[in-house]
Structures are given as C-alpha cells and as structure tokens.
C-alpha cells in the first residue's frame, strides 16, 4: 500500500489564484513529520514547509500553508496568490521517526502549471 | 556557501562499468542519505547513514554501496552498471531522528548506455 498518495498528477491554475495540492498519508507510527518539496524544471529539491504529527496548529511559511487534518490523514499544501514561478513538480513526503531507512517516503508528485 | 554538493552533475557511462558519485555537506548534520529519482520522477530512499549505522532499503541491489570517509561525506559507488540504473541520484542530509527537513544536493543525472 502506498504510504503517500497524491491524486493530482497535473494541475493548471490561473496566475494569482489560490492552489490546493492534495496529499494523504498512511502510517501507524504516532510520531511522524510531513513535508512538501518543490522541484522546478532545473531539477533541485526545494523544501517548502513541514508539519509535525503533534503540532496543534497548521504550518505556514509565507504564501505556503499546510492544511493538516490528522483524523483524515491528509496534509494538503495551499499556495496563496499563485505566481508563474510556482510552476513546478510538488512532492509530499513523510518521515516516520522510528523505523526503516529513516528517510523520506515520497508521493508521486503533482505537476503544477501556472498560466498567465 | 553550498550546503549539500554533489559531483558530477552529469555522468554518462557504458553498461558494466563501475562509477562513483561524491557528496559533501557543510551543515554539520550527522546523517546523510541517497535517493533515486526515476524517469517518472518518483523519488525513493536508497540508504541512510550516520557515523554509527548504515540502513539500507531492502530493494537496493548490492551493486550499490555507500562509502563514508568522514561525517561530511557520503559517496555512492555503483558496480556493474545496468541500463535500469539510469536515473537522477540525490544526496541529502539532516539531523538523525529529528523532524527537521532534509537538505538536498543538486542531483546527479546518470545515463547508462
């Protein structure tokens, strides 16, 4: 079973609109972290935002916010006022503090294209 | 200052060859990782390593071996390269067992002919 599911392979959004990228996760570990990374066409992996499983409030970083719904096991990324430079692949990832290779488990990504 | 660096950025080689990719981090992290990104952009952990423990993803062939001369370096050595090894390989680092983000290197695009 997939641990991280991103159901939107691709999205087209008009510039200046808000965008929600979906992410659901599956874990039995009570301690985990959820991350979003951006990968532009140049290829580098850029960290955007983090949410811990025990955090009471949703994380925010500038135009990025994470809509964390623990009971639903979802961690959607919201980008407000989208810009042309937001066009990229976006990956949701989880880190389970307790087992495996202690690395990040990634979803398959969402290719976001911002249109002028 | 580059936080996590990798060399080379591009690597083109023949099947059957042995090659290495170097990774260095200057962030003082105690754990380093290697990830593989396939042609469909899927990223998968290969190894995590700190100065005490190597953890290997069970799906990684034993032709792949990480080598760490010191805490700041984790090189990836690949023996007997196969066509299916063609991918982008990312090195990353973080503090072990914490919730901090992992910092990624720029990636190495490996093409096996």
């Amino acid at each position: 079973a997939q641990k991280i599911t991103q159901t939107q392979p691709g999205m087209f959004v008009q510039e200046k609109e808000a965008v929600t990228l979906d992410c659901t996760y599956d874990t039995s570990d009570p301690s985990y972290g959820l991350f979003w990374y951006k990968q532009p066409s140049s290829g580098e992996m850029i960290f955007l935002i983090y949410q811990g499983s025990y955090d009471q409030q949703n994380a925010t970083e500038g135009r990025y916010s994470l809509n964390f719904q623990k009971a639903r096991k979802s961690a959607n990324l919201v980008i407000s006022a989208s810009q042309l430079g937001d066009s990229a692949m976006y990956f949701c990832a989880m880190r389970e503090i307790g087992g495996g290779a202690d690395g990040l488990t990634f979803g398959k990504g969402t290719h976001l294209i911002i249109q002028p | 200052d580059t936080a996590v660096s990798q060399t080379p950025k591009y690597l083109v080689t023949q099947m059957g060859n042995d090659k290495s990719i170097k990774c260095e981090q200057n962030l003082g992290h105690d754990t380093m990782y290697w990830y593989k990104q396939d042609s469909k952009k899927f990223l998968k952990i290969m190894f995590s390593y700190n100065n005490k423990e190597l953890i290997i993803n069970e799906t990684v062939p034993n032709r792949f071996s990480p080598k760490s001369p010191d805490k700041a370096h984790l090189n990836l050595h690949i023996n007997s390269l196969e066509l299916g090894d063609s991918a982008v390989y990312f090195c990353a680092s973080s503090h072990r067992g914490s919730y901090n983000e992992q910092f990624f290197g720029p990636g190495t695009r490996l093409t096996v002919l």
Side-chain angles (χ1 to χ4, degrees):
Chain A
Q2 286 186 63
K3 288 203 166 189
I4 298 287
T5 303
Q6 294 181 253
T7 58
Q8 305 150 312
M11 285 185 74
F12 289 86
V13 173
Q14 288 297 119
E15 192 180 6
K16 299 182 184 175
E17 289 184 352
V19 181
T20 297
L21 304 180
D22 296 340
C23 174
T24 57
Y25 61 92
D26 183 26
T27 181
S28 57
D29 192 333
S31 299
Y32 53 89
L34 296 159
F35 303 81
W36 279 91
Y37 282 83
K38 173 184 179 181
Q39 187 177 40
S41 58
S42 50
E44 69 269 30
M45 295 290 290
I46 302 168
F47 165 74
L48 296 178
I49 196 166
Y50 157 79
Q51 181 86 41
S53 58
Y54 295 117
D55 292 344
Q56 296 296 315
Q57 291 190 321
N58 287 345
T60 60
E61 289 286 348
R63 295 187 298 113
Y64 304 107
S65 60
L66 201 152
N67 184 1
F68 181 45
Q69 299 191 33
K70 195 170 183 177
R72 294 185 176 183
K73 293 189 175 180
S74 75
N76 298 340
L77 176 70
V78 180
I79 307 174
S80 63
S82 58
Q83 302 170 356
L84 295 178
D86 294 333
S87 295
M89 284 290 291
Y90 288 81
F91 293 97
C92 180
M94 176 171 63
R95 186 174 185 182
E96 296 164 289
I97 314 300
D102 190 36
L104 295 170
T105 300
F106 283 89
K108 293 185 177 181
T110 296
H111 189 190
L112 175 65
I113 297 174
I114 307 298
Q115 297 176 313
Chain B
D1 279 347
T2 302
V4 182
S5 60
Q6 291 179 233
T7 54
K9 189 167 175 61
Y10 300 97
L11 183 56
V12 181
T13 188
Q14 299 287 331
M15 267 197 320
N17 285 350
D18 302 338
K19 289 294 179 184
S20 292
I21 305 171
K22 295 184 177 181
C23 178
E24 176 181 1
Q25 56 96 4
N26 62 6
L27 298 168
H29 290 154
D30 56 10
T31 304
M32 297 181 71
Y33 310 82
W34 278 103
Y35 290 86
K36 178 180 180 180
Q37 186 174 40
D38 64 22
S39 58
K40 295 183 179 180
K41 300 285 189 182
F42 185 58
L43 277 147
K44 195 167 185 179
I45 181 77
M46 299 177 71
F47 306 99
S48 69
Y49 185 84
N50 67 17
N51 57 1
K52 298 176 185 176
E53 191 176 10
L54 169 67
I55 303 176
I56 303 171
N57 185 314
E58 60 189 12
T59 66
V60 175
N62 58 14
R63 298 182 295 103
F64 290 79
S65 57
K67 298 186 189 304
S68 179
D70 55 58
K71 282 179 65 173
H73 296 83
L74 183 66
N75 303 326
L76 181 65
H77 191 74
I78 316 170
N79 289 327
S80 303
L81 278 156
E82 300 178 358
L83 293 176
D85 298 333
S86 295
V88 179
Y89 292 85
F90 285 97
C91 176
S93 72
S94 75
H95 291 296
R96 176 96 189 258
S98 77
Y99 293 102
N100 293 343
E101 71 269 23
Q102 293 185 8
F103 291 83
F104 282 75
T108 296
R109 182 174 293 277
L110 171 65
T111 302
V112 182
L113 303 175

